Amino acid sequence: MGMNKFAPTGQDVEEIFENIPSVKKQADAYSLVDVYATISGEIPVVWYPGIIGFGETKYRLDSGRTGLTPRLAFAPRQTKFCLYFDTSFLEEQVSLLQSLGKYKTGKGCVYINKLADIDLDVLQELLKQSL
């Protein structure tokens, strides 16, 4: 039975952020940590692959498979930040998302280029709702 790769790695958040080429993006990443930590009341933990998670919760898939996942999470990628949300949650939050600012969505993910592009109050509300 293969180990579930998606798990805390024991890395430091700083270690992940040091690999972000842009200093501005690094600053945004630290700001996001502050926002997520404040809303969740949890300390950031690095999950594979380079995801910054806050808290954890058990999940169960329709297939019966179970595992752990962060309650809130985002990932600093080379060009964008991926803010993770449940896909069905995003479908319910259309009106909030409309006032978020400049973003794109993917499967269970809200992509933003930089924090200046979005309304942080709206982000905080989205995070609170998703908890």
Side-chain angles (χ1 to χ4, degrees):
M1 208 164 86
M3 194 189 105
N4 191 350
K5 264 188 151 170
F6 186 65
T9 64
Q11 286 169 290
D12 283 339
V13 170
E14 286 78 14
E15 208 179 313
I16 299 291
F17 291 178
E18 276 165 16
N19 293 324
I20 301 173
S22 144
V23 177
K24 280 195 171 124
K25 271 223 165 18
Q26 281 184 15
D28 275 359
Y30 282 109
S31 298
L32 277 173
V33 164
D34 289 343
V35 170
Y36 275 69
T38 301
I39 301 291
S40 66
E42 304 276 359
I43 56 164
V45 172
V46 179
W47 290 62
Y48 177 88
I51 292 168
I52 315 301
F54 298 80
E56 51 182 51
T57 184
K58 285 195 170 94
Y59 68 83
R60 185 184 184 87
L61 300 176
D62 292 339
S63 65
R65 204 172 130 192
T66 60
L68 283 177
T69 185
R71 293 186 68 198
L72 292 176
F74 75 90
R77 299 295 180 219
Q78 290 300 322
T79 55
K80 293 179 168 61
F81 289 101
C82 172
L83 315 178
Y84 293 101
F85 292 98
D86 194 273
T87 310
S88 57
F89 170 78
L90 289 178
E91 287 163 7
E92 291 161 18
Q93 298 297 330
V94 174
S95 57
L96 254 183
L97 281 167
Q98 281 170 346
S99 47
L100 181 62
K102 216 172 117 185
Y103 72 92
K104 288 192 171 79
T105 52
K107 193 171 152 49
C109 197
V110 171
Y111 295 100
I112 59 167
N113 291 319
K114 54 186 187 293
L115 286 188
D117 287 345
I118 63 164
D119 183 327
L120 281 182
D121 291 337
V122 175
L123 174 60
Q124 289 175 339
E125 192 51 42
L126 276 169
L127 295 173
K128 280 181 194 154
Q129 298 283 340
S130 90
L131 278 178

